[in-house]
Amino acid sequence: MSAVRESKSPVGVKTKNSSSAKQWQNTPPHLGLVCITFSKEVRLRTITRTRYLQLTEEQRETALRDLYKDNLQRLNTALSFCQQHSIQLYRMSSALFPLSDWEDEVGATILEEMSADLAKIGQRATELGIRMVLHPDQYVVLSSDSPEVVASSIKILAGHAHTMDLMGLPQSSWSLMNIHGGKSNRADQLVRVISELPENITSRLTLENDEHAYSASEILEVCQRTGIPLVFDAHHHICHENLDSYDDRTVASMFYAARATWANPDWQLVHISNGEEAFGDRKHSELITDMPSVYREAPWIEVEAKRKEEAIAHLRSWWIMGK
């Protein structure tokens, strides 16, 4: 596979060829909302597998159809919330359409029937200039020892990719699906499995460093070998390396190395979180009160904090406005 995957700009989205420094002067980083709001404005419904299996076939279809329609409307509400608060990056929940990959195919059939409504959501996001991305759940482990887990992981990714196709979201890292490396010391298998994935998955796939299995430098090597962009997480990095500052020189060097994996550097996305009780605490804090200096050059930042939109507003007040 090529070292860097080519990307095309989605319809209605303008990209810039300016330098990073110029971009900060003209357009501060876009701060992204993750899944739900701290307030009750954006919430999602779900159903457990246990409850689903207790239903009759007719009840299952009715339950999923009602749930999917409701969550699609709630997704539309999320777009309205982002528009009202000038948020141009939104991470969709991987649980928007629960059990849509279940073996009875009831959910998958319902999604196909809702394809026109899904397309309207994708079109609205494009018209509003809101970038929609996804972070599949922890059950996606492409480097697992178990062939069954790998097969299940690919099925999950295929389901998400198909849903994004139904929404009309571009098959590129603009509408990315971000995963972790999974089982440690399995880089070769990770590379092999990724190389065999279908285009509607690999064109959107990104990899993220984590606190345990794959350091930033280790996952960077996988990204370079597969042509998959790296979503750099500064907090995962400082936890993995036991650092005491976001301005450690390795944070900036990994940020720039990650940028080089993006065919369009203006699409580079990074994550930020702070430790809840201490700098290196892996649990997320309520707000973001400490930022890497190099993140001023990040075009897109997902804010992983408990207070969600309040954390974004707080960041804007002290970090962006106080630049």
Side-chain angles (χ1 to χ4, degrees), residues 38-53:
F38 182 69
S39 67
K40 294 182 179 180
E41 292 185 64
V42 179
R43 286 288 185 269
L44 297 171
R45 288 178 55 202
T46 190
I47 185 172
T48 65
R49 293 187 179 186
T50 300
R51 172 58 182 154
Y52 183 73
L53 292 174

Side-chain angles (χ1 to χ4, degrees), residues 136-172:
D137 62 34
Q138 70 272 19
Y139 299 111
V140 175
V141 184
L142 297 180
S143 56
S144 173
D145 291 325
S146 166
E148 291 78 15
V149 171
V150 174
S152 175
S153 299
I154 295 172
K155 183 178 180 181
I156 291 171
L157 290 175
H160 287 315
H162 184 59
T163 300
M164 296 173 89
D165 286 342
L166 291 177
M167 294 175 71
L169 298 178
Q171 291 186 10
S172 73

Side-chain angles (χ1 to χ4, degrees), residues 310-321:
E310 293 181 9
I312 291 174
H314 184 63
L315 257 178
R316 284 173 170 170
S317 67
W318 76 267
W319 188 62
I320 289 183
M321 300 302 293

Side-chain angles (χ1 to χ4, degrees), residues 30-299:
H30 297 296
L31 304 179
L33 175 67
V34 175
C35 299
I36 62 173
T37 54
F38 182 69
S39 67
K40 294 182 179 180
E41 292 185 64
V42 179
R43 286 288 185 269
L44 297 171
R45 288 178 55 202
T46 190
I47 185 172
T48 65
R49 293 187 179 186
T50 300
R51 172 58 182 154
Y52 183 73
L53 292 174
Q54 292 172 344
L55 303 176
T56 65
E57 184 174 339
E58 183 178 352
Q59 289 173 330
R60 291 179 183 183
E61 184 175 346
T62 299
L64 289 190
R65 180 172 281 105
D66 289 347
L67 191 154
Y68 289 4
K69 286 182 177 179
D70 198 2
N71 277 357
L72 195 60
Q73 180 55 49
R74 292 170 189 236
L75 181 57
N76 194 48
T77 298
L79 291 179
S80 295
F81 182 90
C82 288
Q83 178 189 24
Q84 292 162 10
H85 294 82
S86 300
I87 295 171
Q88 291 183 272
L89 172 63
Y90 178 64
R91 182 202 290 182
M92 296 180 287
S93 170
S94 62
L96 264 175
F97 305 113
L99 302 173
S100 59
D101 60 347
W102 194 246
E103 57 193 22
D104 62 8
E105 298 188 352
V106 172
T109 300
I110 293 170
L111 282 182
E112 292 291 340
E113 295 172 358
M114 295 172 56
S115 59
D117 293 325
L118 287 163
K120 289 178 183 177
I121 292 291
Q123 182 61 34
R124 184 169 185 233
T126 299
E127 291 170 353
L128 293 176
I130 296 174
R131 182 181 185 182
M132 299 177 76
V133 300
L134 187 72
H135 197 328
D137 62 34
Q138 70 272 19
Y139 299 111
V140 175
V141 184
L142 297 180
S143 56
S144 173
D145 291 325
S146 166
E148 291 78 15
V149 171
V150 174
S152 175
S153 299
I154 295 172
K155 183 178 180 181
I156 291 171
L157 290 175
H160 287 315
H162 184 59
T163 300
M164 296 173 89
D165 286 342
L166 291 177
M167 294 175 71
L169 298 178
Q171 291 186 10
S172 73
S173 57
W174 175 263
S175 298
L176 61 83
M177 297 192 297
N178 184 54
I179 64 172
H180 292 285
K183 189 172 178 60
S184 60
N185 300 315
R186 300 297 297 275
D188 287 344
Q189 175 177 323
L190 191 54
V191 170
R192 178 182 59 78
V193 173
I194 289 173
S195 71
E196 296 171 354
L197 294 173
E199 179 67 18
N200 70 334
I201 295 178
T202 56
S203 60
R204 295 184 173 110
L205 198 65
T206 60
L207 295 171
E208 177 185 352
N209 59 299
D210 64 76
E211 301 153 345
H212 304 289
Y214 285 89
S215 68
S217 59
E218 288 171 329
I219 207 68
L220 171 65
E221 181 183 353
V222 174
C223 289
Q224 291 170 333
R225 292 172 63 186
T226 57
I228 299 297
L230 169 58
V231 172
F232 177 62
D233 188 309
H235 195 69
H236 286 333
H237 178 68
I238 65 97
C239 288
H240 188 282
E241 305 299 328
N242 196 27
L243 304 176
D244 58 9
S245 171
Y246 287 129
D247 288 331
D248 184 276
R249 62 178 181 80
T250 62
V251 174
S253 65
M254 287 310 311
F255 171 85
Y256 291 123
R259 170 166 289 179
T261 65
W262 291 77
N264 187 338
D266 288 335
W267 291 2
Q268 182 188 17
L269 186 145
V270 299
H271 289 178
I272 189 61
S273 57
N274 286 171
E276 184 177 46
E277 297 180 1
F279 180 70
D281 188 352
R282 289 168 169 79
K283 296 186 295 256
H284 291 177
S285 60
E286 303 226 333
L287 301 173
I288 302 297
T289 57
D290 195 359
M291 287 287 283
S293 297
V294 74
Y295 269 23
R296 294 192 181 279
E297 298 182 35

